[in-house]
Amino acid sequence: GLEAPPAARPGFAPSSSGATETAVSHPLGAARAQVHNTYIVAQTADGVVIVDQHAAHERLTHERLKAALLDGGVKRQALLLPEVVDLDDADARRLLARADELAELGLVVEPFGPGCVVVRETPALLGAKADVKGLVRDIADELAELGDAPVLKEKLDAVVARMACHGSVRAGRALGVEEMNALLRQMEATPHSGQCSHGRPTYVELKLSDIEKLFGRK
């Protein structure tokens, strides 16, 4: 049979709608495809942009968490089933010693026996699918590295970066066209969106002139 046109195949964006054509004029362009369920390929007015969906969404989540904190506190969501996390005694003590500050960041932890904590609430921005155990263990690692910093907020970026990673669109997740374009538009409106929370680029851009050189056209 005939191969389905790109617009009908998963991972491909239609190329003829007026809205899509208008989006090409945006700095990060219009989403054309998702490859390996990890990278968004977008067409700009004069080139191509490739976005790492996890790295990009991680930065967006990071900036939203920071803004929420500065605006009076991160909104929390109660877990339907509180999550018990096993840690070593030192990590558990460090977390519980910072419980009030972590609550301001949206993470509510309480003691639950030797070397254990129970998580009752998490930042609402991370969504319902966040890996709570991974998040808590990551933050425990971060607190161990921070040592006795007197105020956690002074090291806000490091802790928020750990949280943002767990609340982000993962590599390997299929995205629809609207989701891809929404991510591109959010990146354009968000400070520091060119780098993820760990300092890696969230996207790369190839100008049409660079692509033509690769093919020996210029």
Side-chain angles (χ1 to χ4, degrees), residues 37-207:
N37 282 358
T38 299
Y39 301 102
I40 298 166
V41 179
Q43 179 182 338
T44 64
D46 60 352
V48 173
V49 166
I50 304 171
V51 176
D52 179 328
Q53 68 191 40
H54 174 67
H57 198 251
E58 181 181 68
R59 169 54 71 182
L60 297 179
T61 304
H62 187 150
E63 294 300 324
R64 284 198 293 267
L65 283 167
K66 280 173 57 179
L69 184 64
L70 295 173
D71 195 36
V74 175
K75 290 183 179 179
R76 306 194 295 250
Q77 62 184 6
L79 297 178
L80 189 61
L81 294 173
E83 189 90 49
V84 176
V85 185
D86 293 313
L87 302 162
D88 64 40
D89 288 341
D91 281 339
R93 283 196 300 271
R94 272 190 288 267
L95 276 170
L96 295 170
R98 302 283 193 173
D100 289 345
E101 293 167 280
L102 289 172
E104 290 184 46
L105 292 170
L107 187 70
V108 176
V109 296
E110 298 173 3
F112 196 78
C116 286
V117 298
V118 61
V119 181
R120 300 199 178 276
E121 297 178 73
T122 57
L125 277 170
L126 302 191
K129 295 182 180 180
D131 173 10
V132 175
K133 289 183 178 179
L135 170 62
V136 169
R137 287 172 180 147
D138 261 8
I139 291 177
D141 289 343
E142 192 62 49
L143 293 181
E145 292 176 19
L146 293 177
D148 297 322
V151 182
L152 189 57
K153 284 183 183 177
E154 291 179 2
K155 302 293 185 181
L156 177 65
D157 260 16
V159 177
V160 169
R162 299 273 190 165
M163 288 187 168
C165 185
H166 288 273
S168 301
V169 171
R170 310 305 296 184
R173 183 186 143 194
L175 299 179
V177 177
E178 290 184 3
E179 287 180 291
M180 290 190 281
N181 278 314
L183 185 66
L184 297 177
R185 301 294 80 81
Q186 289 166 19
M187 289 173 67
E188 290 163 354
T190 302
H192 317 299
S193 65
Q195 288 188 328
C196 75
S197 299
H198 310 289
R200 295 189 291 272
T202 59
Y203 71 92
V204 294
E205 182 175 9
L206 284 173
K207 297 295 186 184

